[in-house]
Amino acid sequence: MPQDPIRALRDRTTEQKRARQDPAYLQALMNGQAPSVIAFVAALDAGHEGEEALDAARRTDQAAANFFNQPPADDNPPAAA
C-alpha cells in the first residue's frame, strides 16, 4: 500500500525541524559536513546525543553508500558440511 504523500511530507518536515534543533547538527550543517537528516534522527532515536549522534549518522550514511555502490555478490559460499 503506498504511503500517504501528505503524511510523508509532514514526517520529513518534522524530522528536519528536530535535527535543526540540535546544536551539533546545526554546526555540522553550517560547516557543510552534516549527515542526512533521517540518519541523524535515527541516531537520536537510538539514544545518541550531540557529536556521538553525528558520528553514528555518518556511519549509517557510509554504510548505505557502500551497500548501494557495492551490492552483495550473488555467489553465496556453500554451507559448511
Side-chain angles (χ1 to χ4, degrees), residues 10-30:
R10 186 195 69 216
D11 291 346
R12 281 193 305 270
T13 303
T14 302
E15 288 175 347
Q16 287 176 348
K17 287 179 184 176
R18 184 173 172 204
R20 290 182 178 158
Q21 289 175 349
D22 189 284
Y25 185 83
L26 197 54
Q27 185 64 38
L29 191 62
M30 301 277 253

Side-chain angles (χ1 to χ4, degrees), residues 52-65:
E52 187 179 313
L54 285 173
D55 291 340
R58 288 182 183 124
R59 287 192 305 270
T60 300
D61 283 343
Q62 186 60 50

